[in-house]
Amino acid sequence: MRSSRSIILLSIFILLTGCSITNLQQKGSVENKEFYYSMKFSTAKGLVVIPAKIDGKQKNFIFDTGADLSLIQRDTFKGNTSKIKGASKRKVELGKELVESIEIGTINFRDTYAWNGDLKGLKEQINNFGGIIGQPVISKANWLINYPSKQLEISNENLVDNSYQNIKINRKDGNPYTYLTLKGIKYEVVIDLGSTSILNIPKDSQLAKEILNTYTFRERKRERYTLGGNQTITEKIGTLPLVKLGNIEFIDVETTINNSSQMRIGIRFFEEYAIYIDNTNGVYKIKKLIID
């Protein structure tokens, strides 16, 4: 698996529990019963960035399967505010609103819920930053992300053939969890496409201790962009020779161990793959692509 010398993690996984957040994710709908749209996307620090129109203005949004709700960049709060905890375990105050319309190309997602706030530190990293597209939008369509070609397809119909391999998904508060196998042991992991990590493991976990006792990891300092602003962190970084996602083997997986809320695989885990988010059938599917 390829790695990057310079990695910046945008940890924007928002942690809430209970049926209330699931209810908020289910609110809203797509304006058209039948829909399809294909577009090119850009990347920022490796993350998928897509244009979407909100409040009549076109902005750039991070695509984040790990975000409980979408998140709108606003200079001042809109709606009632709450303290929200992100992936780095820091808390930040955000407003909550019902977004009348989020248009991605010809597809209009109506009346979906989102947090809002002034995302200092993060907004400076992406030109014309509008916020984060989270589960209230993502869960209402099927998404085919061809990461090497930077191509995105969105539809209510099936978008792939049987050459794609299934990844079983277990939903928790609407977010996609699966299992990674390391040395024959299964570990629950969230698929967080709003993280630039390949594989990230919380430093206070038993798995982190076992890995550091088995493999050679080095220490590094770097800047992380997250809810609550930028922070400089110290982490361990190394390579695991083999991990399995379902029956699919991933060789030489770059792994980071730091202060994080839970074990996660980020967008760079799939940098050689097409990822299909099949919300019709409740599974993820992936296919390794030939890269010139």
Side-chain angles (χ1 to χ4, degrees):
M1 176 172 287
R2 295 179 299 170
S3 63
S4 171
R5 294 182 180 179
S6 177
I7 306 170
I8 300 178
L9 174 66
L10 287 91
S11 299
I12 46 185
F13 186 79
I14 300 171
L15 300 172
L16 289 180
T17 58
C19 62
S20 60
I21 195 67
T22 304
N23 290 338
L24 291 179
Q25 291 169 346
Q26 293 172 349
K27 300 290 185 183
S29 61
V30 180
E31 192 169 65
N32 298 326
K33 283 188 176 181
E34 308 293 329
F35 57 89
Y36 173 83
Y37 187 70
S38 178
M39 63 186 295
K40 283 285 187 179
F41 63 83
S42 59
T43 58
K45 314 302 182 185
L47 299 179
V48 173
V49 177
I50 61 176
K53 186 179 289 186
I54 183 172
D55 299 334
K57 297 180 181 179
Q58 192 91 338
K59 298 284 186 177
N60 293 319
F61 288 79
I62 296 170
F63 183 89
D64 183 8
T65 56
D68 288 338
L69 300 184
S70 299
L71 182 52
I72 309 301
Q73 163 61 37
R74 296 196 186 279
D75 295 336
T76 57
F77 294 128
K78 183 176 180 180
N80 296 328
T81 62
S82 302
K83 287 285 188 178
I84 306 303
K85 186 168 67 174
S88 62
K89 299 185 179 181
R90 293 194 298 177
K91 290 186 177 181
V92 61
E93 188 173 11
L94 296 173
K96 186 175 71 178
E97 64 177 290
L98 183 66
V99 184
E100 181 180 347
S101 172
I102 296 178
E103 295 181 68
I104 303 175
T106 59
I107 304 172
N108 192 1
F109 298 86
R110 301 192 62 87
D111 299 325
T112 60
Y113 273 94
W115 301 112
N116 64 74
D118 190 9
L119 305 181
K120 295 178 181 178
L122 178 56
K123 67 181 182 181
E124 290 83 5
Q125 308 306 312
I126 298 174
N127 182 49
N128 194 31
F129 181 61
I132 297 161
I133 298 295
Q135 285 298 334
V137 171
I138 294 172
S139 63
K140 292 176 176 59
N142 298 327
W143 308 75
L144 178 58
I145 305 168
N146 185 322
Y147 194 83
S149 297
K150 304 298 185 285
Q151 188 73 31
L152 173 67
E153 295 178 63
I154 314 167
S155 181
N156 65 303
E157 299 291 341
N158 180 52
L159 293 170
V160 301
D161 57 28
N162 58 12
S163 64
Y164 282 70
Q165 295 176 280
N166 280 11
I167 303 298
K168 187 177 180 180
I169 296 297
N170 176 31
R171 293 279 177 180
K172 290 187 178 181
D173 298 327
N175 293 305
Y177 286 78
T178 188
Y179 287 93
L180 275 183
T181 302
L182 305 176
K183 299 180 71 173
I185 301 174
K186 288 185 177 181
Y187 297 91
E188 189 176 57
V189 59
V190 63
I191 300 178
D192 183 4
L193 301 187
S195 167
T196 61
S197 296
I198 293 179
L199 173 60
N200 179 247
I201 299 171
K203 68 178 184 180
D204 55 357
S205 65
Q206 181 61 35
L207 176 59
K209 296 175 185 177
E210 293 173 3
I211 286 174
L212 294 176
N213 285 332
T214 305
Y215 303 101
T216 301
F217 274 57
R218 62 181 175 86
E219 186 174 288
R220 72 171 178 187
K221 289 185 177 182
R222 64 175 175 87
E223 192 170 28
R224 174 161 66 181
Y225 302 97
T226 182
L227 287 177
N230 302 354
Q231 61 180 173
T232 299
I233 66 169
T234 300
E235 66 183 359
K236 302 287 187 179
I237 181 171
T239 300
L240 297 182
L242 173 66
V243 302
K244 294 178 69 176
L245 184 60
N247 294 320
I248 307 168
E249 294 186 348
F250 290 77
I251 308 298
D252 295 334
V253 178
E254 181 184 279
T255 303
T256 52
I257 298 174
N258 56 37
N259 184 32
S260 58
S261 58
Q262 60 192 303
M263 187 172 172
R264 72 190 67 243
I265 51 179
I267 186 63
R268 292 176 54 238
F269 192 92
F270 303 104
E271 62 188 352
E272 297 178 347
Y273 286 78
I275 315 161
Y276 183 45
I277 302 173
D278 182 359
N279 283 311
T280 300
N281 298 299
V283 299
Y284 277 41
K285 300 181 180 184
I286 62 174
K287 179 180 180 179
K288 191 168 185 178
L289 302 175
I290 299 173
I291 302 174
D292 295 332

